[in-house]
Amino acid sequence: MTFTLSEEQTLLKDSARDFCREQAPVTRFRKMRDDKKNGRDPELWAEMAAMGWAGILVPEDFGGAGLGYVGLGLVLEQAGRTLVASPLHSTALVGASALLLGGSDAQKQEWLPKIAAGEITVALAVDESAHHAPAKSKLKVAGGKISGAKKFVADGHIADLLLVVGGDGLYLVKADAPGVTKRELITVDSRGAADIDFDNAPTEKLNGGAKLVEQVLDRAAIGLAAEMLGQAQEAFEITNEYLKTRKQFGQYIGSFQALQHRAAKMFTEIELTRSCILAALDALDRNADDVSEYASLAKARASDMLHVVSNEFVQMHGGIGMTDAHDAGLYMKRARVAEALYGGATYHRDRYATLLGF
Amino acid sequence: MTDVQLEQFRKDTRAWLEENCPASMRSTFTSEDEIVWGGKKAKFANPDSKLWLDRMAERGWTAPTWPKEYGGGGLSKEENLILQSELKRINARQPLYSFGLWMLGPVLLEYANEDQKKRHLPPVIRGEIRWCQGYSEPGAGSDLAGLQTKCEDKGDHWLINGQKIWTSYANYADWCFCLVRTDTSVKHEGISFILIDMTSPGVETRPIKLISGASPFCETFFTDVKVPKENMVGRLNGGWEIAKRLLQYERSNISGFGSGARTDVVDIAKQNVGLDEDGRLDDRDLRARIAEHKMFERAYALTAQRAAEEAKAGGNVSHITSMFKVAGATLNIERCELMVEAAGSRAFGWAGEGYSPDELAVTRGWLRSKGNSIEGGTTEVNLNVVAKRVLGLRDTQ
């Protein structure tokens, strides 16, 4: 395992940071929200695709860059910093990796170049109740037709292609296929989502069965954890800056020990979690045997860590933190959704214990 | 150094270790008595321990990266990484535990004059002299710079009067590296760093019994102790800078503390709580908390690895020593609490035959772990350090 970035990865990270700061700052997210676009910013996604990000995982043969999971994770982290609303996670990570792992040659040929070019977006439809429980899927498939109901599909409202999780494998369904009904959800994090019903919709099964489902969910969890790390890092830096400039009782509030200790603990949690996420991305690139352990480690810790950091973002800013004009609320709302998606801390702790044999 | 040369170094090291590391030294310690601390009063529970120490010291490999001129190994960082991985490969015991190696040596290399280095470093490397640390005082613990032990200039010697506390293993030590007050008119700028021979007339030590029943610490009294002029390290009143640097070394050491107990918390839980038909611990809440702890443990280990890689790549990671001290102490205390909880009444033994040595170790380890968030700077003091040095937050005015 290595934590050292290659020159290529460092360049990718730096260019992602610059792009997000300059082209996709939080003000752009805010405008998207205020314009009631519900997570849609197709111009931004086109710009990101032009940077090559949609194809980071896709091999060069299919029009991508083949830069691996660490590379994509670094970009997701930078995008998380400024709350970029895009299908980067659902398409470039989840969609591309599912097809790479389980697609037939024909399926890869059909979809991967379109993903790499930013021409289509993908969404992963997992949950059938209010909580993440992929093992309890009631999806029915017979004769190439799929039936069932999926709840809170992230980016499901904008996706062209759906990856549908069943107990025995992963299914491809075109979003405009007959029998597919989407109900768009207006969500607290302004990213939007969809409840989707499948009524004898035509489907193709990907290769790999239940194992593929696990592999894809692991990738979804790790990639989201990377995005959450970026959110936490940004939230923490803004908070720390506020502690240094805001005065109360004639003192900088950051000089109060009660706040100093909380800040120091947050810093520690972020650094510890960063190591877990980098290790998880590296495990994916190494195709390691214990990817699932790393995935649950990364997602559980990211969920717990971001929960604290996003709450402190609001609390340490006092009254201003409660206002809509301040960004703290945007981070906290996004945090809660991200914490729960693809399994919250409780789910992944339970899974980790099982994987460790107790 | 080229990869070919490093590969050759690995081959040579492996061959040397094969030949020179006694078989009985290729196993984890089974009790604290087997740990070799060196010094004039050194005890060797196993004759192979002495052999192993002497052979490693001969090559300077008790201090692999220190310069050869003082008896060190003179290895580069890359060579040392290879040596450590080869030692780990055969599960070799650490030949010498020593505050001289971990704490004093590094600051002597940085701050001492040539005579002091030549005199004090080689015996540390060979394990001939055991050092203790005279830092804390009854009135100056967390506020270390409030120390009062007086050091007066008597022309041809220093005269020392005062009391130190929490001097680990002072009763076994040959020498003490000590912070003393050489100017009472200022706080931090009035402290000096001095080396004291524990056999000097006027030095007295008394062990302090802890809640765990053990006495790793002592009170140390200095009454009209004469110390030669050449024993002051660095400049007069310049000791605080040395003291802080030494604390960084100390903290990075303590943060790496193991639990002392050999058993794993999961094994203890399986044994005493039991599993349900699905193979899950039969106490869901405890199971979740153990899983959370295991993640913390993993995160800590991964972060230590990341910091090591960053240091190797030339990054400065000294500033996060305090973060590691806090996290390491928290981790160990949490682990010990979970073990006691998982062991149930099997953790309530104190002595006698009703409890296995492993069970007694859990109990004693738990009580000892309470010191982890106090010694080497309390958790609160280290959080202050992170807040100020890393995050740039200021003091109140």
Side-chain angles (χ1 to χ4, degrees), chain A residues 41-227:
Chain A
D41 190 344
E43 296 82 15
L44 178 59
W45 177 234
E47 290 168 45
M48 292 167 77
M51 297 282 289
W53 296 351
I56 287 178
L57 283 187
V58 177
E60 290 178 27
D61 291 351
F62 296 103
L67 288 176
Y69 289 97
V70 171
L72 182 52
L74 294 168
V75 177
L76 282 162
E77 181 188 342
Q78 296 307 315
R81 270 184 170 259
T82 57
L83 299 178
V84 171
S86 80
L88 184 65
H89 177 272
S90 57
T91 303
L93 176 77
V94 181
S97 59
L99 282 155
L100 281 168
L101 290 164
S104 65
D105 287 345
Q107 285 164 335
K108 287 181 190 170
Q109 201 60 59
E110 181 179 4
W111 299 111
L112 286 175
K114 288 184 181 137
I115 286 176
E119 286 168 18
I120 61 154
T121 62
V122 187
L124 179 65
V126 195
D127 296 320
E128 296 170 25
S129 72
H131 288 275
H132 185 66
K136 292 179 183 163
S137 175
K138 289 179 184 138
L139 204 74
K140 288 193 179 70
V141 184
K145 305 276 183 175
I146 193 167
S147 296
K150 293 288 184 182
K151 304 287 183 197
F152 205 87
V153 178
D155 292 332
H157 61 312
I158 56 172
D160 306 298
L161 184 64
L162 300 167
L163 288 166
V164 187
V165 171
D168 66 340
L170 198 58
Y171 296 86
L172 275 183
V173 182
K174 289 177 188 163
D176 58 4
V180 177
T181 313
K182 289 188 189 180
R183 274 183 310 281
E184 182 162 345
L185 302 167
I186 314 285
T187 60
V188 67
D189 65 347
S190 309
R191 286 287 299 264
D195 285 346
I196 304 179
D197 289 341
F198 301 92
D199 182 13
N200 277 313
T203 184
E204 292 174 23
K205 191 177 183 184
L206 292 171
N207 295 316
K211 170 80 181 159
L212 177 68
V213 172
E214 186 174 53
Q215 287 175 312
V216 169
L217 288 175
D218 282 341
R219 280 152 180 78
I222 293 168
L224 189 55
E227 187 195 303

Side-chain angles (χ1 to χ4, degrees), chain A residues 3 244 261 271 275 350 354, chain B residues 287 303 306 309 384 391:
Chain A
F3 288 101
K244 290 178 193 175
H261 286 190
E271 287 305 312
S275 310
D350 176 72
T354 303
Chain B
R287 176 174 181 264
T303 306
R306 179 160 69 92
E309 279 187 32
N384 288 348
L391 305 180

Side-chain angles (χ1 to χ4, degrees), chain B residues 166 206-218 350 364:
Chain B
W166 310 121
R206 288 182 208 152
I208 304 167
K209 198 170 180 181
L210 296 185
I211 51 178
S212 61
S215 299
F217 300 113
C218 292
W350 184 255
R364 302 293 177 113

Side-chain angles (χ1 to χ4, degrees), chain B residues 60-137:
Chain B
W61 281 3
T62 50
T65 59
W66 292 10
K68 277 194 163 162
E69 53 188 310
Y70 309 120
L75 299 187
S76 65
K77 272 184 186 171
E78 291 81 4
E79 288 171 322
N80 187 37
L81 282 176
I82 291 174
L83 171 61
Q84 298 310 324
S85 74
E86 287 302 313
L87 285 165
K88 200 172 168 187
R89 198 180 65 86
I90 59 169
N91 194 25
R93 288 184 188 183
Q94 202 169 319
L96 179 64
Y97 279 54
S98 158
F99 298 153
L101 285 178
W102 302 333
M103 288 144 72
L104 177 65
V107 300
L108 285 187
L109 282 168
E110 192 170 348
Y111 294 96
N113 62 39
E114 197 55 30
D115 287 343
Q116 290 167 334
K117 291 184 201 172
K118 286 214 168 92
R119 178 166 178 210
H120 294 294
L121 292 175
V124 163
I125 292 166
R126 293 194 298 262
E128 292 165 359
I129 294 294
R130 182 169 178 179
W131 287 83
C132 64
Q133 178 189 46
Y135 267 37
S136 297
E137 297 185 7

Side-chain angles (χ1 to χ4, degrees), chain A residues 1-4 236 240 243-244 251-252 254-255 257 260-261 263-265 267-268 271-272 274-276 279 293-294 296-297 300-301 304 348-350 352-354 357-358, chain B residues 266 270 275 279-281 287-288 290-292 294-296 298-300 302-303 305-306 309 313 320 323 327 380-381 383-384 386-388 390-397:
Chain A
M1 176 188 319
T2 177
F3 288 101
T4 316
F236 178 70
N240 200 37
L243 293 178
K244 290 178 193 175
Q251 304 279 355
Y252 291 109
S255 68
Q257 201 177 49
Q260 288 188 347
H261 286 190
K265 285 178 186 172
F267 168 77
T268 305
E271 287 305 312
L272 292 176
R274 178 185 306 284
S275 310
C276 296
E293 264 176 48
Y294 277 112
S296 284
L297 174 70
R301 287 200 59 93
D304 282 342
H348 283 288
R349 273 199 289 275
D350 176 72
Y352 195 74
T354 303
F358 65 95
Chain B
V266 171
K270 281 182 176 173
L275 301 173
R280 284 177 293 204
L281 272 189
R287 176 174 181 264
I290 291 177
E292 189 172 14
K294 285 279 164 192
M295 289 183 170
F296 181 14
R298 194 78 188 269
Y300 181 85
L302 289 167
T303 306
Q305 191 185 337
R306 179 160 69 92
E309 279 187 32
I320 54 171
M323 180 191 99
E380 288 73 16
V381 161
L383 287 171
N384 288 348
V386 173
K388 293 189 178 84
V390 184
L391 305 180
L393 300 173
R394 305 181 233 197
D395 286 320
T396 45
Q397 298 304 306

Side-chain angles (χ1 to χ4, degrees), chain B residues 367-389:
Chain B
L367 291 163
R368 176 64 187 87
S369 75
K370 295 301 168 193
N372 296 162
S373 51
I374 300 170
E375 60 208 320
T378 59
T379 286
E380 288 73 16
V381 161
N382 278 295
L383 287 171
N384 288 348
V385 172
V386 173
K388 293 189 178 84
R389 306 250 172 81

